């Protein structure tokens, strides 16, 4: 069986099709010389958009359209009439745009099915942001199965003025002219554990687990199209045409000779106009649930109708913090290990009414870039725990695994972290406060707020782990300083503007916003990660000469996504961004000899850091605007916080099952144990169950009002954290169908059972576990921690 030629012939095909199409423009009034005929009035989610003709700023001819949008949400300008389309037709959409303001714009089409329902609102889209000149947007796409019509449109988000001119839509080919006519309907490969069947019409897989008879089937959402495929030893080679961007992709699929695993690798050349969504998602069955490392971890029942479709990237702590996901019925399952996570994400759409998991590959600086790899692992038992243990082995293989015991050997101060409550306190006399806490039995303390040299030395003598906040992301324009209420001492002001990170449009990336004296918000610029280490070298060693901290918290580094930089003097891919972020953390922990923490958390930093603030606090389900007004308590509990953040049904300790003995996980500093008093008990119980320490934030008044409650919280959480800090979490399980009673087991024999429910639970030893209580076994002999 022959394979079609790759990029060269592919481009020649499109050139030939474009010439054959001539000047036929399927858009009505795409050059706006006849006014706005063929276009609807501009729409916006709030009445804040209008479209007018502009005769001064044009790309060609005498007129362009100008869309003025002042709202904070989305808007659109679309053609009046839809165009009939057939699966397999290939189109090219282009136009010239200018953008002014903070918003963006996308030229795209909406795909419709035979029921007149939208399949995709932004199919074949290309996007532009603010620029000083006209930019040419161009995309190619293939009409996928199930689509019958397209509606071209220009859309945008946030305030902006957008010009469009010389917009063109052409039909440039049909798939049948590129597809090998000799393809068999299916191809099959097998090993002792799995039998895999490839459907050559859409590239989907059906996998039968020979050990259990369980069949896992993929279902294509929008293609791609298989141009050619052939069987090879242990698998297949495929030649695909991706539908949303008409990119030609080479795919290899290889079964492990013995293990129940299938490795899929994608490679391509050239410009990547839209994300690639392949392989297709495995369809989930009733009663199964998705398993996703959203911070600590969460399970999403696939038939839970209260859950909306979601999207998570893998390149930062506010996405998935580990490079895998899975689906299970509680015993059997399939997991995806993403071996190239830096430019990857996962969508959570509904297929046949049930949530499923769809990998998505994003461009690397506009190109496909290096090969993308995803490994599917099929489990005949063990559910999400088995997934975590398989991934733990993967982390060791790729160099992400480093234990706290190893880190303690390099820096004995690490031992002060194990079982220590993280305290954020602004009391004027931190030494006296630490003495009070220790006198009440709160013996192990991580003091996170900066202090004077004398205070630091005194707290060091008390055995306190002394730390302070630091950041190497936000840089404020010094011209804004007079407009602000204060200037942050950790802003890298000297980085403005030469060391800022630039986006593909040449504009500087916006970071944290600060409210000025005039009530306006002023955004910081984002420091390029490649430049950050040098600023740390200038700041940290001189300070340590006078301030003998033993620890340092680096804000945002693992929370913020790996970002591309387009600055000509310090360009970066996301992989390079990750490298330099980790170099910053490695500099702190290894060269400066500091116990090091960072925000939210991501496995990329496991070898470099010792703790994460925020891993316990699932990012999407924190209190609104948790990063501001941290000290203010929340007396009313938001529903999503109670349901997902401290509810017992959904969340899972996936992070602990993989990395418990490598990094200490903590709550977020705007989402700590005493933040919502009504949920304080539940947070303490999660700490005990997971073997993690609590976090307190208070001033003197809050301390005095809640002193006994702070002691109780410490006594609930920290004994398990201290006893298990250097040991693997072996298992976690639900002991009741409603997940109210849960159990964890650790490698040193500690077993923790927690009752989150409102009914008593009978333990195996005959005792009764009351509601909102816990039981610990095996802790006495290990109270000193061990190695």
């Amino acid at each position: 069986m022959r394979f079609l030629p790759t990029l060269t012939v592919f481009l020649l095909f499109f050139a030939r099709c474009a010439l054959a199409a001539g000047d036929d423009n399927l858009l009505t009034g795409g050059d706006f010389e006849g006014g706005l005929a063929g276009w609807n009035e501009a729409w916006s989610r709030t009445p804040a958009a209008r479209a007018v003709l502009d005769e001064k700023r044009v790309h060609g001819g005498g007129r362009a359209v100008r869309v003025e949008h002042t709202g904070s949400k989305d808007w659109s300008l679309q053609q009046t009439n839809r165009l009939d389309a057939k699966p397999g037709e290939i189109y090219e959409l282009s136009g010239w745009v200018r953008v002014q303001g903070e918003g963006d714009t996308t030229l795209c089409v909406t795909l419709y099915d035979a029921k007149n329902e939208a399949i995709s609102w932004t199919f074949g889209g290309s996007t532009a942001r603010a620029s000083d000149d006209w930019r040419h947007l161009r995309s190619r796409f293939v009409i996928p199965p199930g689509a019958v019509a397209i509606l071209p449109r220009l859309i945008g988000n946030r305030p902006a003025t957008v010009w469009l001119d010389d917009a063109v839509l052409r039909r440039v080919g049909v798939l049948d002219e590129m597809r090998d006519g000799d393809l068999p309907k299916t191809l099959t490969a097998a090993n002792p554990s799995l039998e895999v069947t490839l459907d050559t019409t859409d590239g989907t897989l059906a996998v039968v687990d020979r050990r259990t008879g369980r069949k896992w089937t993929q279902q294509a959402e929008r293609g791609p199209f298989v141009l050619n495929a052939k069987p090879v030893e242990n698998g297949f080679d495929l030649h695909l045409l991706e539908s949303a961007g008409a990119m030609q992709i080479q795919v290899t699929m290889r079964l492990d000779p013995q293990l129940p695993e299938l490795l899929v690798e994608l490679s391509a050349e050239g410009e990547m106009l839209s994300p690639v969504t392949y392989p297709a998602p495995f369809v989930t069955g009733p009663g199964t649930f998705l398993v996703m490392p959203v911070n600590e971890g969460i399970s999403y029942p696939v038939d839970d109708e209260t859950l909306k479709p979601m999207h998570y990237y893998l390149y930062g702590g506010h996405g998935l913090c580990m490079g895998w996901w899975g689906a299970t019925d509680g015993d059997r399952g399939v997991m995806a290990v993403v071996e190239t996570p830096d430019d990857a994400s996962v969508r959570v759409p509904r297929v046949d009414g049930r949530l499923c998991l769809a990998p998505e590959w994003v461009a690397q600086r506009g190109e496909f870039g290096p090969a993308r790899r995803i490994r599917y692992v099929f489990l005949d038992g063990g559910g999400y725990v088995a997934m975590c243990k398989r991934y733990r082995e993967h982390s060791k293989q790729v160099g992400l695994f480093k234990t706290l015991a190893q880190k303690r050997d390099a820096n004995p101060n690490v031992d002060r972290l194990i079982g220590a409550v993280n305290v954020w306190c602004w009391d004027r006399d931190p030494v006296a406060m630490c003495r009070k806490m220790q006198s009440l039995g709160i013996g192990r303390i991580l003091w996170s707020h900066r202090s004077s040299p004398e205070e630091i030395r005194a707290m060091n003598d008390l055995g306190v782990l002394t730390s302070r906040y630091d950041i190497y992301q936000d840089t404020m324009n010094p011209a804004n300083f007079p407009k602000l209420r204060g200037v942050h001492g950790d802003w890298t002001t000297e980085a403005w503007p030469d060391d800022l990170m630039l986006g593909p449009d040449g504009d500087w990336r916006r970071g944290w916003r600060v409210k000025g004296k005039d009530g306006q918000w002023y955004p910081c610029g984002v420091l390029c990660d490649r430049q950050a280490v040098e600023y740390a070298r200038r700041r940290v060693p001189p300070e340590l000469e006078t301030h003998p901290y033993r620890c340092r918290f680096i804000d945002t580094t693992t929370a913020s996504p790996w970002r591309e930089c387009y600055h000509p003097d310090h360009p970066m891919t996301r992989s390079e961004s990750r490298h330099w972020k980790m170099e910053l953390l490695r500099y702190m922990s290894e060269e400066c000899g500091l116990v090091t923490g960072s925000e939210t958390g991501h496995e990329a930093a496991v070898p470099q850091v010792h703790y994460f603030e925020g891993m316990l606090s699932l990012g999407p389900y924190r209190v609104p605007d948790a990063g501001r007004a941290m000290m203010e308590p929340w007396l009313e509990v938001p529903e999503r916080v109670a349901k997902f953040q401290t509810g017992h049904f959904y969340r899972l300790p996936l992070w602990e099952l993989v990395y418990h003995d490598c990094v200490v996980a903590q709550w977020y500093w705007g989402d700590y144990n005493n933040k919502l008093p009504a949920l304080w008990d539940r947070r303490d119980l999660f700490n005990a169950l997971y073997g993690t320490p609590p976090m307190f934030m208070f001033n003197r008044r809050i301390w005095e009002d809640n002193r006994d409650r702070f002691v109780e919280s410490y006594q609930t959480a920290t004994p398990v954290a201290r006893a298990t800090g250097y040991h693997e979490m072996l298992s976690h399980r639900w002991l009741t169908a409603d997940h109210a009673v849960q159990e964890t087991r650790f490698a040193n024999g500690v077993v923790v059972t927690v009752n989150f429910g409102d009914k008593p639970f009978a333990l195996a030893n005959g005792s009764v576990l009351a509601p909102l209580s816990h039981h610990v076994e095996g802790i006495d002999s290990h109270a000193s921690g061990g190695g």
Side-chain angles (χ1 to χ4, degrees):
M1 181 179 293
R2 64 182 177 85
F3 253 60
L4 291 182
T6 55
L7 187 63
T8 302
V9 170
F10 184 66
L11 294 175
L12 289 173
F13 167 82
F14 273 123
R16 177 171 56 82
C17 291
L19 288 172
D23 293 326
D24 294 336
N25 185 357
L26 299 177
L27 294 181
T28 301
D31 58 6
F32 303 100
E33 297 306 302
L36 292 174
W39 298 87
N40 287 342
E41 292 184 2
W43 168 92
S44 62
R45 198 164 298 277
T46 55
R50 69 174 189 140
V52 297
L53 293 175
D54 193 323
E55 297 180 353
K56 294 182 179 180
R57 287 194 171 183
V58 298
H59 176 263
R63 289 177 175 177
V65 67
R66 183 179 72 246
V67 179
E68 300 168 350
H69 182 244
T70 58
S72 60
K73 297 184 179 180
D74 54 325
W75 59 269
S76 70
L77 176 68
Q78 62 189 35
Q79 288 266 282
T80 304
N81 298 318
R82 300 177 187 177
L83 301 172
D84 293 337
K86 297 179 181 178
E89 291 181 329
I90 305 171
Y91 290 84
E92 182 173 277
L93 175 65
S94 65
W96 290 87
V97 299
R98 288 186 65 153
V99 183
Q100 290 182 351
E102 64 177 87
D104 56 34
T105 191
T106 299
L107 188 62
C108 60
V109 300
T110 299
L111 274 178
Y112 291 94
D113 61 17
K115 296 179 181 179
N116 203 31
E117 295 179 352
I119 302 172
S120 171
W121 290 101
T122 59
F123 194 70
S126 53
T127 300
R129 295 173 179 83
S131 62
D132 294 331
D133 206 349
W134 290 92
R135 293 189 60 193
H136 191 223
L137 296 183
R138 179 182 60 87
S139 65
R140 293 192 184 104
F141 53 88
V142 188
I143 304 300
V148 300
I150 58 177
L151 180 64
R153 61 188 196 137
L154 183 75
I155 64 174
N157 286 283
R158 300 185 302 279
T161 301
V162 177
W163 288 262
L164 172 67
D165 201 0
D166 296 334
V168 177
L169 175 69
R170 290 194 177 100
R171 180 178 176 273
V172 297
V174 291
L175 183 67
D176 288 344
E177 297 181 28
M178 303 178 65
R179 183 176 165 88
D180 187 345
D182 299 330
L183 273 177
K185 178 69 171 65
T186 61
L187 296 172
T188 302
N191 70 8
S193 300
L194 303 176
E195 180 177 292
V196 181
T197 300
L198 170 72
D199 187 328
T200 63
T201 59
D202 58 10
T204 57
L205 299 172
V207 181
V208 176
D209 190 329
R210 291 176 159 180
R211 300 164 298 176
T212 64
R214 175 70 157 89
K215 185 176 183 179
W216 298 90
T217 303
Q218 292 179 344
Q219 182 170 322
E221 298 176 275
R222 299 192 296 267
F225 300 94
V226 180
L227 302 179
N228 208 325
K230 68 176 182 180
V232 296
E233 185 178 3
N234 296 326
F236 322 105
D237 285 343
L238 289 76
H239 189 184
L240 305 180
L241 185 64
E242 202 272 330
S243 60
M247 170 169 270
Q248 187 176 227
I249 303 171
Q250 304 290 344
V251 179
T252 64
M253 296 184 175
R254 298 291 185 269
L255 277 167
D256 185 276
Q258 297 296 325
L259 299 175
E261 301 184 4
L262 175 69
L263 179 64
V264 180
E265 180 173 294
L266 291 74
S267 58
E269 298 177 4
E271 187 179 15
M272 187 170 171
L273 298 175
S274 61
V276 171
T277 56
Y278 187 82
F282 281 99
V283 177
T284 51
T288 61
F289 55 91
L290 308 183
V291 180
M292 303 181 69
V294 179
N295 303 122
E296 267 293 341
I298 199 163
S299 61
Y300 291 120
V302 301
D303 38 19
D304 186 337
E305 296 181 355
T306 68
L307 299 171
K308 296 180 179 180
M310 293 165 270
H311 181 276
Y312 292 98
Y313 54 75
L314 274 65
Y315 42 87
H318 283 298
L320 300 187
C321 68
M322 295 184 280
W324 69 276
W325 60 75
T328 179
D329 58 11
D331 188 31
R332 300 170 297 179
V334 56
M335 69 178 296
V337 177
V338 182
E339 297 188 358
T340 53
D342 288 346
D343 300 294
S345 59
V346 59
R347 293 183 302 108
V348 188
R350 288 192 180 273
V351 175
D352 294 337
R354 299 189 182 97
L355 296 174
C356 57
L357 295 155
E360 182 178 82
W361 311 101
V362 298
Q364 184 182 90
R365 288 178 57 88
E367 304 285 322
F368 187 90
R372 318 298 180 94
R373 295 189 305 278
I374 184 169
R375 179 182 298 272
Y376 292 101
V377 180
F378 298 86
L379 301 110
D380 59 355
Y384 60 86
V385 175
M387 293 178 188
C388 290
K389 297 311 173 184
R390 172 63 183 88
Y391 194 76
R392 184 175 165 97
E393 292 306 309
H394 170 77
S395 73
K396 294 177 180 179
Q397 294 168 4
V398 299
L400 290 176
F401 196 85
K402 187 175 182 180
T403 66
L404 284 163
Q406 292 172 307
K407 296 171 186 178
R408 178 192 57 190
D409 291 342
N411 181 355
N413 286 324
V414 170
D415 193 61
R416 298 192 181 204
L417 175 70
I418 309 304
V421 55
N422 189 342
V423 175
W424 285 95
C425 174
W426 282 260
D427 190 79
R428 293 181 178 180
D429 191 345
V431 179
M433 180 59 71
C434 287
R435 287 196 177 107
K436 286 182 182 179
M437 295 175 70
Q438 290 180 334
S439 71
L440 293 169
I442 303 177
R444 305 185 67 84
I445 301 170
L446 163 60
W447 189 268
S448 288
H449 187 50
R450 69 175 68 203
S451 306
S452 70
E454 296 75 17
E455 292 166 340
I456 296 169
R457 293 187 184 95
M459 287 189 285
N460 287 343
D461 291 341
L462 292 174
V464 172
L465 183 59
T466 49
S467 184
R468 71 99 138 178
Y469 173 98
D470 202 357
I471 186 170
Y472 295 90
Q473 173 176 281
D474 293 323
T475 299
M476 178 62 74
N477 184 349
N480 291 331
F481 286 177
K483 306 173 186 177
L484 307 179
R485 293 185 175 91
V487 176
H488 199 297
D490 293 322
W491 284 339
T492 52
T493 301
E494 61 270 34
W496 190 281
D498 293 340
D499 289 333
L500 295 187
M501 188 178 292
L502 301 186
D505 53 6
D507 194 16
W508 53 276
R509 293 192 184 275
R510 272 62 173 173
W512 185 255
R513 297 190 308 153
V514 179
K515 196 171 186 178
K517 300 173 185 176
D518 56 1
Q520 300 298 312
W521 290 93
Y522 295 89
C524 291
V526 175
L527 176 69
C528 181
D529 296 317
R530 187 184 290 272
Q531 309 300 88
V533 178
E534 179 56 32
Y535 286 94
R537 291 184 186 276
R538 300 178 198 174
R539 176 183 298 172
V540 179
E543 183 184 48
L544 292 179
E545 290 180 3
T546 56
H547 293 66
Y549 291 110
R550 290 172 170 167
C551 179
R552 206 171 190 95
F553 171 70
I554 311 301
D555 198 15
T556 76
T557 298
T558 50
S560 298
W562 324 153
R563 292 183 174 102
E564 295 178 338
C565 182
Y566 289 79
H567 196 294
D569 295 335
H570 41 82
M572 290 189 310
T573 63
R574 290 188 190 89
S575 295
E576 290 168 333
S577 171
R578 169 183 51 79
H579 167 79
W580 288 109
K581 283 173 176 280
M582 299 312 112
E583 273 297 294
L584 173 65
L585 297 174
R586 186 199 63 78
Y587 173 73
M588 296 292 176
S589 61
E590 295 184 11
E591 295 191 36
C592 296
L594 295 167
V595 177
T596 303
S598 192
E599 183 193 357
T600 299
H602 192 281
E603 66 173 346
V606 168
Q608 291 83 23
V609 305
H610 307 94
Y611 69 99
F612 286 129
E613 286 193 11
M615 188 59 75
L616 285 172
S617 299
L618 280 60
Y621 309 116
R622 299 171 185 172
V623 294
D625 209 9
R628 302 181 190 271
M630 290 88 67
M631 189 80 75
E632 297 299 321
W634 277 69
L635 301 181
E636 295 186 9
V637 180
E639 180 184 359
R640 60 192 287 107
V641 176
K643 183 175 182 179
F644 297 105
Q645 185 71 274
T646 58
H648 53 261
F649 187 82
Y650 292 91
R651 62 179 298 159
L652 289 171
L654 304 179
W655 177 264
E656 305 306 324
L657 286 163
V658 178
Y659 289 122
H660 178 78
D661 51 340
C662 294
V663 181
V664 176
Q666 300 170 354
W667 299 99
Y668 179 61
W669 75 334
D671 187 54
Y672 42 88
N673 288 61
N674 57 302
K675 177 71 173 182
L676 294 92
L679 300 177
W680 196 339
D681 289 342
R682 301 183 66 84
R683 289 189 190 274
D684 292 347
L685 291 175
F686 274 114
N687 281 132
L689 183 68
Y690 292 2
T692 57
M695 175 186 286
F696 302 155
M697 183 175 288
F698 56 80
N699 54 25
R700 181 172 292 274
R701 178 186 58 79
I702 295 173
W703 166 260
E704 295 295 342
D705 291 346
N706 298 274
R707 182 182 58 187
D708 294 341
R709 185 64 189 84
F710 283 120
V711 173
E712 178 187 350
S713 183
Y714 180 87
Q715 291 174 342
T716 297
T718 57
V720 182
R722 179 61 183 168
T724 66
Y726 295 110
H727 301 280
E728 177 184 357
M729 180 188 281
L730 296 178
S731 67
H732 169 270
R733 61 174 178 154
W734 298 310
L735 300 184
T736 57
D738 62 358
H739 305 177
V741 184
Q742 303 184 18
E743 176 197 88
T744 52
R745 292 179 177 268
F746 297 87
N748 62 338
V750 173
V751 181
V752 184
T753 309
V754 169
N755 185 356
F756 292 105
D758 55 10
K759 299 177 182 178
F761 177 79
L763 296 171
N765 62 8
S767 62
V768 175
L769 192 61
L772 285 182
S773 68
H774 73 296
H775 175 76
V776 183
E777 300 175 19
I779 200 170
D780 292 339
S781 61
H782 301 283
S784 62

